[in-house]
């Protein structure tokens, strides 16, 4: 076997071995993640059993366990959280005085998602899960659609004196579409004015022809 073929086959073999090492590393990471989740789930259940409800994650888990309706709506869960742990005892709030001291919906919703999705505890109905998944996908699509597009530059260029010893290249760079539209409009107006004044405009302008022209183009 010649050296080139041996080198190619050696490279392929090395790539296979590296891929196997990478897969083993991923398996190790997945195993460690699963062990971490199992450990956290066990601690959470033990805290609930011992009535140790003194932080966000245990409080949300307590509500999801005690009030099944809170599994159906994060807003319902938030209101119940406010009443149970933030001392809200009224149906009205002063948004300037009270709201800043209450637990935010985003924090409560993230805790709920971690408990139900990652720990697999106090899950809501399949219908609600499907709705939430669909809603998340719609939000992601909307965010992607609203992302600003990549900036573009329109370049109009041409060359001259291609049959001579030297060549000249000229161009015009337009940084935005508004300028390009304005330029096209001005060119149309200019051409119309020349035609109305009796000037016959050529399809292509040549510098050599400008010396013979009796009427200027500009």
């Amino acid at each position: 076997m010649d050296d080139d073929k041996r080198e190619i086959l050696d490279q392929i073999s090395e790539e296979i071995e590296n891929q196997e090492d990478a897969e083993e590393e991923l398996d190790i990471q997945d195993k460690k993640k699963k062990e971490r989740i199992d450990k956290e789930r066990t601690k959470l259940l033990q805290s609930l059993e011992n009535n140790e409800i003194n932080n966000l994650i245990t409080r949300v888990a307590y509500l999801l366990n005690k009030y099944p309706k809170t599994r159906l709506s994060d807003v319902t869960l938030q209101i119940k959280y406010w009443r149970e742990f933030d001392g809200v005892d009224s149906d009205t709030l002063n948004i300037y005085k009270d709201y800043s001291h209450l637990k935010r919906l985003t924090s409560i919703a993230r805790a709920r998602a971690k408990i139900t999705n990652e720990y697999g505890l106090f899950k809501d109905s399949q219908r609600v899960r499907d709705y939430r998944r669909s809603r998340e996908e719609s939000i992601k699509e909307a965010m992607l659609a609203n992302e600003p597009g990549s900036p573009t530059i329109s370049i109009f260029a041409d060359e001259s004196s291609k049959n001579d010893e030297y060549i000249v290249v000229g161009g015009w760079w337009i940084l935005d579409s508004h300028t390009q539209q304005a330029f096209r409009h001005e060119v149309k107006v200019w051409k119309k004015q020349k035609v109305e004044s009796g000037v016959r405009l050529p399809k292509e302008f040549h510098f050599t022809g400008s010396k013979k022209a009796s009427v200027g183009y500009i």
Side-chain angles (χ1 to χ4, degrees):
M1 183 181 298
D2 57 52
D3 293 340
D4 290 341
K5 290 182 179 179
R6 183 183 299 277
E7 182 179 354
I8 293 174
L9 295 177
D10 288 343
Q11 183 178 356
I12 294 174
S13 300
E14 184 178 356
E15 290 175 354
I16 293 174
E17 292 176 353
N18 291 338
Q19 185 176 1
E20 291 177 350
D21 292 340
E23 291 174 352
E24 290 178 1
E25 180 64 25
L26 289 176
D27 291 339
I28 294 174
Q29 293 178 4
D30 290 341
K31 184 179 180 180
K32 289 181 178 179
K33 181 179 179 180
K34 185 178 183 303
E35 292 175 351
R36 174 184 61 79
I37 291 174
D38 291 341
K39 185 177 181 180
E40 292 176 358
R41 183 194 296 112
T42 301
K43 286 186 176 181
L44 178 60
L45 292 174
Q46 289 175 348
S47 296
L48 293 178
E49 185 178 353
N50 298 329
N51 201 32
E52 297 172 352
I53 308 169
N54 48 24
N55 51 45
L56 173 64
I57 193 76
T58 54
R59 289 175 176 179
V60 171
Y62 166 81
L63 295 175
L64 293 171
N65 181 40
K66 186 176 181 180
Y67 305 103
K69 288 185 177 181
T70 60
R71 306 175 189 179
L72 304 178
S73 167
D74 286 339
V75 173
T76 301
L77 177 61
Q78 180 188 38
I79 294 173
K80 185 62 71 172
Y81 189 102
W82 286 353
R83 292 189 180 279
E84 292 275 342
F85 303 110
D86 287 348
V88 174
D89 55 4
S90 172
D91 291 335
T92 60
L93 293 174
N94 185 320
I95 60 175
Y96 298 103
K97 180 181 178 181
D98 301 328
Y99 190 76
S100 61
H101 302 290
L102 301 175
K103 190 63 66 177
R104 296 182 179 180
L105 177 61
T106 50
S107 299
I108 295 174
R110 287 187 182 121
R112 189 270 311 155
K114 190 174 187 68
I115 293 167
T116 58
N117 299 339
E118 196 167 321
Y119 299 158
L121 300 172
F122 317 124
K123 291 185 177 182
D124 46 30
S125 66
Q126 185 62 44
R127 179 178 61 83
V128 174
R129 288 199 296 273
D130 292 342
Y131 168 76
R132 282 175 172 155
R133 187 179 300 109
S134 175
R135 187 169 181 272
E136 289 174 356
E137 291 175 355
S138 298
I139 292 174
K140 289 179 180 178
E141 290 177 359
M143 293 176 64
L144 291 174
N146 290 329
E147 285 186 353
S150 301
T152 58
I153 299 177
S154 299
I155 303 175
F156 299 87
D158 198 6
E159 48 74 31
S160 182
S161 304
K162 59 184 177 182
N163 296 323
D164 294 332
E165 183 177 359
Y166 301 101
I167 187 171
V168 177
V169 178
W172 191 45
W173 294 46
I174 301 178
L175 304 182
D176 60 83
S177 59
H178 176 73
T179 303
Q180 181 176 341
Q181 294 174 358
F183 172 72
R184 290 181 182 276
H185 174 73
E186 292 297 329
V187 171
K188 288 182 180 179
V189 172
W190 175 78
K191 290 175 66 176
K192 183 178 179 181
Q193 291 175 347
K194 290 299 180 182
V195 172
E196 291 177 350
S197 63
V199 177
R200 184 179 178 182
L201 298 175
K203 293 183 178 180
E204 185 176 2
F205 176 78
H206 296 277
F207 284 106
T208 55
S210 64
K211 298 179 181 179
K212 303 177 183 179
S214 59
V215 181
Y217 295 124
I218 299 176

